[in-house]
Amino acid sequence: MERGEWDNQTLLMEFLLLGLGDTRELQTPLFLLSLTIYTVTMVGNILIIVLVVTDPHLHTPMYFFLVNLSSLETCYSSTILPRLLASFLTGDRTISVQGCMAQFFFFGTFATSECYLLAAMSYDRYVAICQPLLYASLMNWKVCLQLVAGSWVVGLLISTAITSFISCQRFCGPRAIDHFFCEEAPLLELSCSDTGMIRILTIILSFPDVVFPFLFTLASYVCIIAAILRIPSSLGKHKAFSTCSSHLTVVIVFYGTLIIVYMLPRTAALRQLNKMFSFFYTVLTPLINPLIYSLRNREVKGAL
């Protein structure tokens, strides 16, 4: 469409989130499912926070990171699910442009912070297994606080940069976002401005956003697995692996679904599949994280 034709159109004041489907019969089951997921997610993550704070045996760097991960997950879920629940309940799927930008900003902040927090947790496990004699000096409380604060600050800065550029776009139709939350790719499809620069910026920022923490986490676990394989006794191997198995499971689930979502081409045939995987890493991952840590961790079960 020519630029003059775009200029003659009215700029959008709100978007329509198409959600997970238009079938009226599915709205009540989807509402009940989403409400159950949100309730269990909040209760599970808040319970982990309370356990770690109240049990002195869990006042270690690993559980300090876990408290921050659970805090991130509660914020993460609260960015998406309450709005989704409201749309199921009322049938109103509209969201203002400002509300959409706010949701995108907070989602981006928490998602990026989680990438860096998972990297910090992998470093903690690397030091514990590969450098056990230096663990107390390398992972003191000052270092832990710096790693957690750095995770939140980097997430905030990267999300601010991307959101600032997207909010400068002109959206003039169509207003329907084929997704259940405000996400970058479907938003840019509605822009009538030149998106070339912002797409280049997104590719550049994807390296500090996802690629660097992912590669760091991957390198940490390569070293951890190599160190575990060098342990002569099978009991020693099992004990060493049990200290990082929960975190490794979370990393695989989070990055596995994240990579699938952003590697899938946004063709009409694959959009429903894309939304399904997006639902998994944005909604189900915060649900299963507390379950993984509570079911696979003897210390957490002991605190319970």
PDB file of all heavy atoms in Angstrom, residues 144-181:
ATOM      1  N   CYS A 144      26.219 -12.189  44.758  1.00  0.00           N
ATOM      2  CA  CYS A 144      24.849 -12.631  44.471  1.00  0.00           C
ATOM      3  C   CYS A 144      23.924 -11.442  44.241  1.00  0.00           C
ATOM      4  O   CYS A 144      23.118 -11.432  43.306  1.00  0.00           O
ATOM      5  CB  CYS A 144      24.329 -13.494  45.617  1.00  0.00           C
ATOM      6  SG  CYS A 144      25.177 -15.071  45.803  1.00  0.00           S
ATOM      7  N   LEU A 145      24.028 -10.431  45.095  1.00  0.00           N
ATOM      8  CA  LEU A 145      23.202  -9.234  44.937  1.00  0.00           C
ATOM      9  C   LEU A 145      23.508  -8.515  43.624  1.00  0.00           C
ATOM     10  O   LEU A 145      22.600  -8.029  42.939  1.00  0.00           O
ATOM     11  CB  LEU A 145      23.420  -8.283  46.119  1.00  0.00           C
ATOM     12  CG  LEU A 145      22.791  -8.698  47.454  1.00  0.00           C
ATOM     13  CD1 LEU A 145      23.292  -7.797  48.576  1.00  0.00           C
ATOM     14  CD2 LEU A 145      21.270  -8.636  47.375  1.00  0.00           C
ATOM     15  N   GLN A 146      24.783  -8.455  43.256  1.00  0.00           N
ATOM     16  CA  GLN A 146      25.167  -7.806  42.004  1.00  0.00           C
ATOM     17  C   GLN A 146      24.616  -8.565  40.800  1.00  0.00           C
ATOM     18  O   GLN A 146      24.145  -7.950  39.826  1.00  0.00           O
ATOM     19  CB  GLN A 146      26.689  -7.707  41.923  1.00  0.00           C
ATOM     20  CG  GLN A 146      27.295  -6.688  42.874  1.00  0.00           C
ATOM     21  CD  GLN A 146      28.805  -6.718  42.885  1.00  0.00           C
ATOM     22  OE1 GLN A 146      29.437  -7.712  42.490  1.00  0.00           O
ATOM     23  NE2 GLN A 146      29.420  -5.631  43.354  1.00  0.00           N
ATOM     24  N   LEU A 147      24.670  -9.897  40.846  1.00  0.00           N
ATOM     25  CA  LEU A 147      24.157 -10.700  39.729  1.00  0.00           C
ATOM     26  C   LEU A 147      22.649 -10.532  39.574  1.00  0.00           C
ATOM     27  O   LEU A 147      22.147 -10.378  38.450  1.00  0.00           O
ATOM     28  CB  LEU A 147      24.503 -12.175  39.940  1.00  0.00           C
ATOM     29  CG  LEU A 147      25.976 -12.558  39.782  1.00  0.00           C
ATOM     30  CD1 LEU A 147      26.210 -14.007  40.200  1.00  0.00           C
ATOM     31  CD2 LEU A 147      26.434 -12.356  38.339  1.00  0.00           C
ATOM     32  N   VAL A 148      21.930 -10.542  40.685  1.00  0.00           N
ATOM     33  CA  VAL A 148      20.471 -10.389  40.620  1.00  0.00           C
ATOM     34  C   VAL A 148      20.101  -8.976  40.172  1.00  0.00           C
ATOM     35  O   VAL A 148      19.243  -8.796  39.288  1.00  0.00           O
ATOM     36  CB  VAL A 148      19.843 -10.708  41.994  1.00  0.00           C
ATOM     37  CG1 VAL A 148      18.381 -10.264  42.030  1.00  0.00           C
ATOM     38  CG2 VAL A 148      19.950 -12.199  42.285  1.00  0.00           C
ATOM     39  N   ALA A 149      20.740  -7.969  40.765  1.00  0.00           N
ATOM     40  CA  ALA A 149      20.456  -6.589  40.369  1.00  0.00           C
ATOM     41  C   ALA A 149      20.790  -6.364  38.898  1.00  0.00           C
ATOM     42  O   ALA A 149      20.041  -5.697  38.174  1.00  0.00           O
ATOM     43  CB  ALA A 149      21.258  -5.620  41.244  1.00  0.00           C
ATOM     44  N   GLY A 150      21.903  -6.937  38.443  1.00  0.00           N
ATOM     45  CA  GLY A 150      22.288  -6.821  37.039  1.00  0.00           C
ATOM     46  C   GLY A 150      21.253  -7.442  36.117  1.00  0.00           C
ATOM     47  O   GLY A 150      20.950  -6.894  35.044  1.00  0.00           O
ATOM     48  N   SER A 151      20.677  -8.588  36.533  1.00  0.00           N
ATOM     49  CA  SER A 151      19.648  -9.247  35.717  1.00  0.00           C
ATOM     50  C   SER A 151      18.437  -8.341  35.529  1.00  0.00           C
ATOM     51  O   SER A 151      17.926  -8.178  34.416  1.00  0.00           O
ATOM     52  CB  SER A 151      19.218 -10.566  36.374  1.00  0.00           C
ATOM     53  OG  SER A 151      20.295 -11.452  36.516  1.00  0.00           O
ATOM     54  N   TRP A 152      17.983  -7.733  36.621  1.00  0.00           N
ATOM     55  CA  TRP A 152      16.814  -6.845  36.535  1.00  0.00           C
ATOM     56  C   TRP A 152      17.126  -5.579  35.740  1.00  0.00           C
ATOM     57  O   TRP A 152      16.310  -5.132  34.923  1.00  0.00           O
ATOM     58  CB  TRP A 152      16.352  -6.456  37.944  1.00  0.00           C
ATOM     59  CG  TRP A 152      15.648  -7.560  38.673  1.00  0.00           C
ATOM     60  CD1 TRP A 152      16.212  -8.523  39.462  1.00  0.00           C
ATOM     61  CD2 TRP A 152      14.242  -7.834  38.675  1.00  0.00           C
ATOM     62  NE1 TRP A 152      15.245  -9.363  39.963  1.00  0.00           N
ATOM     63  CE2 TRP A 152      14.026  -8.960  39.506  1.00  0.00           C
ATOM     64  CE3 TRP A 152      13.139  -7.223  38.080  1.00  0.00           C
ATOM     65  CZ2 TRP A 152      12.759  -9.495  39.731  1.00  0.00           C
ATOM     66  CZ3 TRP A 152      11.870  -7.750  38.313  1.00  0.00           C
ATOM     67  CH2 TRP A 152      11.692  -8.881  39.124  1.00  0.00           C
ATOM     68  N   VAL A 153      18.314  -5.010  35.945  1.00  0.00           N
ATOM     69  CA  VAL A 153      18.670  -3.760  35.254  1.00  0.00           C
ATOM     70  C   VAL A 153      18.813  -3.990  33.751  1.00  0.00           C
ATOM     71  O   VAL A 153      18.315  -3.193  32.939  1.00  0.00           O
ATOM     72  CB  VAL A 153      19.965  -3.161  35.848  1.00  0.00           C
ATOM     73  CG1 VAL A 153      20.488  -2.024  34.975  1.00  0.00           C
ATOM     74  CG2 VAL A 153      19.731  -2.665  37.261  1.00  0.00           C
ATOM     75  N   VAL A 154      19.486  -5.081  33.359  1.00  0.00           N
ATOM     76  CA  VAL A 154      19.658  -5.363  31.925  1.00  0.00           C
ATOM     77  C   VAL A 154      18.298  -5.584  31.272  1.00  0.00           C
ATOM     78  O   VAL A 154      18.027  -5.076  30.170  1.00  0.00           O
ATOM     79  CB  VAL A 154      20.570  -6.588  31.721  1.00  0.00           C
ATOM     80  CG1 VAL A 154      20.562  -7.026  30.264  1.00  0.00           C
ATOM     81  CG2 VAL A 154      21.997  -6.267  32.149  1.00  0.00           C
ATOM     82  N   GLY A 155      17.419  -6.341  31.935  1.00  0.00           N
ATOM     83  CA  GLY A 155      16.078  -6.546  31.394  1.00  0.00           C
ATOM     84  C   GLY A 155      15.329  -5.243  31.219  1.00  0.00           C
ATOM     85  O   GLY A 155      14.669  -5.021  30.200  1.00  0.00           O
ATOM     86  N   LEU A 156      15.450  -4.361  32.206  1.00  0.00           N
ATOM     87  CA  LEU A 156      14.774  -3.059  32.148  1.00  0.00           C
ATOM     88  C   LEU A 156      15.309  -2.200  31.006  1.00  0.00           C
ATOM     89  O   LEU A 156      14.543  -1.596  30.247  1.00  0.00           O
ATOM     90  CB  LEU A 156      14.960  -2.341  33.478  1.00  0.00           C
ATOM     91  CG  LEU A 156      14.247  -1.001  33.663  1.00  0.00           C
ATOM     92  CD1 LEU A 156      12.735  -1.187  33.629  1.00  0.00           C
ATOM     93  CD2 LEU A 156      14.675  -0.343  34.969  1.00  0.00           C
ATOM     94  N   LEU A 157      16.636  -2.158  30.843  1.00  0.00           N
ATOM     95  CA  LEU A 157      17.240  -1.312  29.816  1.00  0.00           C
ATOM     96  C   LEU A 157      16.908  -1.802  28.406  1.00  0.00           C
ATOM     97  O   LEU A 157      16.532  -1.007  27.531  1.00  0.00           O
ATOM     98  CB  LEU A 157      18.765  -1.275  30.006  1.00  0.00           C
ATOM     99  CG  LEU A 157      19.276  -0.546  31.256  1.00  0.00           C
ATOM    100  CD1 LEU A 157      20.789  -0.655  31.359  1.00  0.00           C
ATOM    101  CD2 LEU A 157      18.851   0.917  31.228  1.00  0.00           C
ATOM    102  N   ILE A 158      17.033  -3.116  28.174  1.00  0.00           N
ATOM    103  CA  ILE A 158      16.766  -3.657  26.831  1.00  0.00           C
ATOM    104  C   ILE A 158      15.297  -3.499  26.476  1.00  0.00           C
ATOM    105  O   ILE A 158      14.948  -3.093  25.356  1.00  0.00           O
ATOM    106  CB  ILE A 158      17.208  -5.129  26.752  1.00  0.00           C
ATOM    107  CG1 ILE A 158      18.729  -5.231  26.849  1.00  0.00           C
ATOM    108  CG2 ILE A 158      16.727  -5.770  25.440  1.00  0.00           C
ATOM    109  CD1 ILE A 158      19.265  -6.648  26.848  1.00  0.00           C
ATOM    110  N   SER A 159      14.409  -3.786  27.429  1.00  0.00           N
ATOM    111  CA  SER A 159      12.980  -3.651  27.160  1.00  0.00           C
ATOM    112  C   SER A 159      12.603  -2.186  26.920  1.00  0.00           C
ATOM    113  O   SER A 159      11.764  -1.894  26.053  1.00  0.00           O
ATOM    114  CB  SER A 159      12.173  -4.208  28.330  1.00  0.00           C
ATOM    115  OG  SER A 159      10.793  -4.161  28.062  1.00  0.00           O
ATOM    116  N   THR A 160      13.225  -1.267  27.657  1.00  0.00           N
ATOM    117  CA  THR A 160      12.957   0.163  27.458  1.00  0.00           C
ATOM    118  C   THR A 160      13.355   0.596  26.052  1.00  0.00           C
ATOM    119  O   THR A 160      12.615   1.332  25.383  1.00  0.00           O
ATOM    120  CB  THR A 160      13.723   1.002  28.500  1.00  0.00           C
ATOM    121  OG1 THR A 160      13.294   0.641  29.812  1.00  0.00           O
ATOM    122  CG2 THR A 160      13.482   2.489  28.289  1.00  0.00           C
ATOM    123  N   ALA A 161      14.511   0.113  25.588  1.00  0.00           N
ATOM    124  CA  ALA A 161      14.984   0.489  24.253  1.00  0.00           C
ATOM    125  C   ALA A 161      14.034  -0.010  23.165  1.00  0.00           C
ATOM    126  O   ALA A 161      13.620   0.759  22.280  1.00  0.00           O
ATOM    127  CB  ALA A 161      16.387  -0.077  24.036  1.00  0.00           C
ATOM    128  N   ILE A 162      13.658  -1.295  23.244  1.00  0.00           N
ATOM    129  CA  ILE A 162      12.793  -1.864  22.202  1.00  0.00           C
ATOM    130  C   ILE A 162      11.404  -1.236  22.256  1.00  0.00           C
ATOM    131  O   ILE A 162      10.826  -0.875  21.220  1.00  0.00           O
ATOM    132  CB  ILE A 162      12.706  -3.396  22.365  1.00  0.00           C
ATOM    133  CG1 ILE A 162      14.080  -4.029  22.144  1.00  0.00           C
ATOM    134  CG2 ILE A 162      11.703  -3.982  21.368  1.00  0.00           C
ATOM    135  CD1 ILE A 162      14.117  -5.529  22.350  1.00  0.00           C
ATOM    136  N   THR A 163      10.847  -1.083  23.463  1.00  0.00           N
ATOM    137  CA  THR A 163       9.506  -0.506  23.593  1.00  0.00           C
ATOM    138  C   THR A 163       9.469   0.940  23.094  1.00  0.00           C
ATOM    139  O   THR A 163       8.483   1.365  22.476  1.00  0.00           O
ATOM    140  CB  THR A 163       9.033  -0.557  25.060  1.00  0.00           C
ATOM    141  OG1 THR A 163       9.143  -1.887  25.552  1.00  0.00           O
ATOM    142  CG2 THR A 163       7.588  -0.107  25.183  1.00  0.00           C
ATOM    143  N   SER A 164      10.540   1.685  23.348  1.00  0.00           N
ATOM    144  CA  SER A 164      10.592   3.080  22.886  1.00  0.00           C
ATOM    145  C   SER A 164      10.497   3.163  21.373  1.00  0.00           C
ATOM    146  O   SER A 164       9.766   4.010  20.830  1.00  0.00           O
ATOM    147  CB  SER A 164      11.890   3.743  23.371  1.00  0.00           C
ATOM    148  OG  SER A 164      11.954   3.765  24.772  1.00  0.00           O
ATOM    149  N   PHE A 165      11.212   2.291  20.677  1.00  0.00           N
ATOM    150  CA  PHE A 165      11.171   2.310  19.214  1.00  0.00           C
ATOM    151  C   PHE A 165       9.819   1.847  18.688  1.00  0.00           C
ATOM    152  O   PHE A 165       9.287   2.415  17.732  1.00  0.00           O
ATOM    153  CB  PHE A 165      12.297   1.437  18.649  1.00  0.00           C
ATOM    154  CG  PHE A 165      13.632   2.127  18.611  1.00  0.00           C
ATOM    155  CD1 PHE A 165      14.521   2.021  19.666  1.00  0.00           C
ATOM    156  CD2 PHE A 165      14.002   2.898  17.516  1.00  0.00           C
ATOM    157  CE1 PHE A 165      15.749   2.665  19.641  1.00  0.00           C
ATOM    158  CE2 PHE A 165      15.227   3.549  17.470  1.00  0.00           C
ATOM    159  CZ  PHE A 165      16.103   3.436  18.543  1.00  0.00           C
ATOM    160  N   ILE A 166       9.243   0.805  19.305  1.00  0.00           N
ATOM    161  CA  ILE A 166       7.951   0.300  18.833  1.00  0.00           C
ATOM    162  C   ILE A 166       6.845   1.323  19.095  1.00  0.00           C
ATOM    163  O   ILE A 166       5.939   1.503  18.275  1.00  0.00           O
ATOM    164  CB  ILE A 166       7.624  -1.054  19.493  1.00  0.00           C
ATOM    165  CG1 ILE A 166       8.558  -2.136  18.950  1.00  0.00           C
ATOM    166  CG2 ILE A 166       6.172  -1.459  19.238  1.00  0.00           C
ATOM    167  CD1 ILE A 166       8.294  -3.520  19.471  1.00  0.00           C
ATOM    168  N   SER A 167       6.905   2.018  20.227  1.00  0.00           N
ATOM    169  CA  SER A 167       5.867   3.002  20.544  1.00  0.00           C
ATOM    170  C   SER A 167       5.904   4.198  19.597  1.00  0.00           C
ATOM    171  O   SER A 167       4.919   4.947  19.504  1.00  0.00           O
ATOM    172  CB  SER A 167       6.018   3.479  21.994  1.00  0.00           C
ATOM    173  OG  SER A 167       7.264   4.117  22.179  1.00  0.00           O
ATOM    174  N   CYS A 168       7.026   4.387  18.903  1.00  0.00           N
ATOM    175  CA  CYS A 168       7.123   5.475  17.916  1.00  0.00           C
ATOM    176  C   CYS A 168       6.526   5.085  16.569  1.00  0.00           C
ATOM    177  O   CYS A 168       6.414   5.935  15.674  1.00  0.00           O
ATOM    178  CB  CYS A 168       8.580   5.884  17.727  1.00  0.00           C
ATOM    179  SG  CYS A 168       9.317   6.679  19.171  1.00  0.00           S
ATOM    180  N   GLN A 169       6.152   3.806  16.404  1.00  0.00           N
ATOM    181  CA  GLN A 169       5.543   3.360  15.155  1.00  0.00           C
ATOM    182  C   GLN A 169       4.128   3.915  15.031  1.00  0.00           C
ATOM    183  O   GLN A 169       3.460   4.207  16.029  1.00  0.00           O
ATOM    184  CB  GLN A 169       5.491   1.830  15.115  1.00  0.00           C
ATOM    185  CG  GLN A 169       6.847   1.143  15.137  1.00  0.00           C
ATOM    186  CD  GLN A 169       7.604   1.329  13.835  1.00  0.00           C
ATOM    187  OE1 GLN A 169       7.153   0.922  12.774  1.00  0.00           O
ATOM    188  NE2 GLN A 169       8.760   1.967  13.923  1.00  0.00           N
ATOM    189  N   ARG A 170       3.666   4.068  13.795  1.00  0.00           N
ATOM    190  CA  ARG A 170       2.305   4.501  13.518  1.00  0.00           C
ATOM    191  C   ARG A 170       1.475   3.273  13.179  1.00  0.00           C
ATOM    192  O   ARG A 170       1.788   2.550  12.258  1.00  0.00           O
ATOM    193  CB  ARG A 170       2.270   5.506  12.365  1.00  0.00           C
ATOM    194  CG  ARG A 170       3.014   6.794  12.659  1.00  0.00           C
ATOM    195  CD  ARG A 170       3.097   7.696  11.440  1.00  0.00           C
ATOM    196  NE  ARG A 170       1.792   8.198  11.016  1.00  0.00           N
ATOM    197  CZ  ARG A 170       1.165   7.791   9.921  1.00  0.00           C
ATOM    198  NH1 ARG A 170       1.700   6.872   9.130  1.00  0.00           N
ATOM    199  NH2 ARG A 170      -0.004   8.307   9.599  1.00  0.00           N
ATOM    200  N   PHE A 171       0.428   3.037  13.975  1.00  0.00           N
ATOM    201  CA  PHE A 171      -0.437   1.883  13.746  1.00  0.00           C
ATOM    202  C   PHE A 171      -1.762   2.383  13.181  1.00  0.00           C
ATOM    203  O   PHE A 171      -2.481   3.126  13.835  1.00  0.00           O
ATOM    204  CB  PHE A 171      -0.676   1.134  15.071  1.00  0.00           C
ATOM    205  CG  PHE A 171       0.581   0.610  15.709  1.00  0.00           C
ATOM    206  CD1 PHE A 171       1.169   1.302  16.762  1.00  0.00           C
ATOM    207  CD2 PHE A 171       1.188  -0.546  15.252  1.00  0.00           C
ATOM    208  CE1 PHE A 171       2.324   0.837  17.360  1.00  0.00           C
ATOM    209  CE2 PHE A 171       2.351  -1.013  15.841  1.00  0.00           C
ATOM    210  CZ  PHE A 171       2.916  -0.324  16.897  1.00  0.00           C
ATOM    211  N   CYS A 172      -2.051   1.982  11.946  1.00  0.00           N
ATOM    212  CA  CYS A 172      -3.273   2.477  11.312  1.00  0.00           C
ATOM    213  C   CYS A 172      -4.058   1.378  10.611  1.00  0.00           C
ATOM    214  O   CYS A 172      -4.760   1.628   9.649  1.00  0.00           O
ATOM    215  CB  CYS A 172      -2.949   3.613  10.357  1.00  0.00           C
ATOM    216  SG  CYS A 172      -1.583   3.321   9.241  1.00  0.00           S
ATOM    217  N   GLY A 173      -3.933   0.163  11.080  1.00  0.00           N
ATOM    218  CA  GLY A 173      -4.817  -0.886  10.601  1.00  0.00           C
ATOM    219  C   GLY A 173      -4.122  -2.006   9.866  1.00  0.00           C
ATOM    220  O   GLY A 173      -3.023  -1.814   9.368  1.00  0.00           O
ATOM    221  N   PRO A 174      -4.791  -3.180   9.844  1.00  0.00           N
ATOM    222  CA  PRO A 174      -5.985  -3.525  10.634  1.00  0.00           C
ATOM    223  C   PRO A 174      -5.643  -3.607  12.114  1.00  0.00           C
ATOM    224  O   PRO A 174      -4.476  -3.724  12.470  1.00  0.00           O
ATOM    225  CB  PRO A 174      -6.379  -4.902  10.082  1.00  0.00           C
ATOM    226  CG  PRO A 174      -5.097  -5.485   9.598  1.00  0.00           C
ATOM    227  CD  PRO A 174      -4.279  -4.340   9.072  1.00  0.00           C
ATOM    228  N   ARG A 175      -6.649  -3.554  12.970  1.00  0.00           N
ATOM    229  CA  ARG A 175      -6.365  -3.434  14.402  1.00  0.00           C
ATOM    230  C   ARG A 175      -6.256  -4.771  15.124  1.00  0.00           C
ATOM    231  O   ARG A 175      -5.951  -4.807  16.313  1.00  0.00           O
ATOM    232  CB  ARG A 175      -7.439  -2.579  15.076  1.00  0.00           C
ATOM    233  CG  ARG A 175      -8.806  -3.243  15.200  1.00  0.00           C
ATOM    234  CD  ARG A 175      -9.826  -2.275  15.769  1.00  0.00           C
ATOM    235  NE  ARG A 175     -11.100  -2.934  16.065  1.00  0.00           N
ATOM    236  CZ  ARG A 175     -11.667  -2.956  17.259  1.00  0.00           C
ATOM    237  NH1 ARG A 175     -11.074  -2.367  18.273  1.00  0.00           N
ATOM    238  NH2 ARG A 175     -12.812  -3.567  17.451  1.00  0.00           N
ATOM    239  N   ALA A 176      -6.514  -5.879  14.450  1.00  0.00           N
ATOM    240  CA  ALA A 176      -6.521  -7.192  15.093  1.00  0.00           C
ATOM    241  C   ALA A 176      -5.101  -7.740  15.246  1.00  0.00           C
ATOM    242  O   ALA A 176      -4.346  -7.825  14.277  1.00  0.00           O
ATOM    243  CB  ALA A 176      -7.369  -8.166  14.287  1.00  0.00           C
ATOM    244  N   ILE A 177      -4.740  -8.095  16.481  1.00  0.00           N
ATOM    245  CA  ILE A 177      -3.461  -8.753  16.770  1.00  0.00           C
ATOM    246  C   ILE A 177      -3.734 -10.240  16.941  1.00  0.00           C
ATOM    247  O   ILE A 177      -4.459 -10.641  17.855  1.00  0.00           O
ATOM    248  CB  ILE A 177      -2.820  -8.193  18.061  1.00  0.00           C
ATOM    249  CG1 ILE A 177      -2.512  -6.706  17.898  1.00  0.00           C
ATOM    250  CG2 ILE A 177      -1.555  -8.952  18.416  1.00  0.00           C
ATOM    251  CD1 ILE A 177      -1.941  -6.065  19.162  1.00  0.00           C
ATOM    252  N   ASP A 178      -3.188 -11.054  16.047  1.00  0.00           N
ATOM    253  CA  ASP A 178      -3.440 -12.495  16.090  1.00  0.00           C
ATOM    254  C   ASP A 178      -2.571 -13.143  17.162  1.00  0.00           C
ATOM    255  O   ASP A 178      -1.649 -13.911  16.878  1.00  0.00           O
ATOM    256  CB  ASP A 178      -3.168 -13.109  14.712  1.00  0.00           C
ATOM    257  CG  ASP A 178      -3.687 -14.540  14.622  1.00  0.00           C
ATOM    258  OD1 ASP A 178      -4.394 -14.970  15.558  1.00  0.00           O
ATOM    259  OD2 ASP A 178      -3.374 -15.238  13.633  1.00  0.00           O
ATOM    260  N   HIS A 179      -2.880 -12.809  18.416  1.00  0.00           N
ATOM    261  CA  HIS A 179      -2.131 -13.363  19.546  1.00  0.00           C
ATOM    262  C   HIS A 179      -2.960 -13.143  20.808  1.00  0.00           C
ATOM    263  O   HIS A 179      -3.993 -12.467  20.765  1.00  0.00           O
ATOM    264  CB  HIS A 179      -0.772 -12.675  19.688  1.00  0.00           C
ATOM    265  CG  HIS A 179       0.334 -13.619  20.087  1.00  0.00           C
ATOM    266  ND1 HIS A 179       0.302 -14.339  21.250  1.00  0.00           N
ATOM    267  CD2 HIS A 179       1.494 -13.963  19.469  1.00  0.00           C
ATOM    268  CE1 HIS A 179       1.400 -15.090  21.329  1.00  0.00           C
ATOM    269  NE2 HIS A 179       2.140 -14.883  20.263  1.00  0.00           N
ATOM    270  N   PHE A 180      -2.516 -13.719  21.945  1.00  0.00           N
ATOM    271  CA  PHE A 180      -3.263 -13.519  23.186  1.00  0.00           C
ATOM    272  C   PHE A 180      -2.606 -12.483  24.089  1.00  0.00           C
ATOM    273  O   PHE A 180      -3.102 -12.196  25.176  1.00  0.00           O
ATOM    274  CB  PHE A 180      -3.448 -14.849  23.937  1.00  0.00           C
ATOM    275  CG  PHE A 180      -2.161 -15.548  24.307  1.00  0.00           C
ATOM    276  CD1 PHE A 180      -1.536 -15.279  25.515  1.00  0.00           C
ATOM    277  CD2 PHE A 180      -1.598 -16.480  23.450  1.00  0.00           C
ATOM    278  CE1 PHE A 180      -0.363 -15.924  25.851  1.00  0.00           C
ATOM    279  CE2 PHE A 180      -0.425 -17.128  23.786  1.00  0.00           C
ATOM    280  CZ  PHE A 180       0.199 -16.853  24.986  1.00  0.00           C
ATOM    281  N   PHE A 181      -1.476 -11.909  23.643  1.00  0.00           N
ATOM    282  CA  PHE A 181      -0.885 -10.773  24.353  1.00  0.00           C
ATOM    283  C   PHE A 181      -0.112  -9.929  23.344  1.00  0.00           C
ATOM    284  O   PHE A 181       0.083 -10.335  22.197  1.00  0.00           O
ATOM    285  CB  PHE A 181       0.024 -11.233  25.506  1.00  0.00           C
ATOM    286  CG  PHE A 181       1.322 -11.885  25.070  1.00  0.00           C
ATOM    287  CD1 PHE A 181       2.506 -11.169  25.103  1.00  0.00           C
ATOM    288  CD2 PHE A 181       1.354 -13.206  24.664  1.00  0.00           C
ATOM    289  CE1 PHE A 181       3.706 -11.750  24.724  1.00  0.00           C
ATOM    290  CE2 PHE A 181       2.550 -13.809  24.282  1.00  0.00           C
ATOM    291  CZ  PHE A 181       3.723 -13.083  24.313  1.00  0.00           C
TER     292      PHE A 181
END
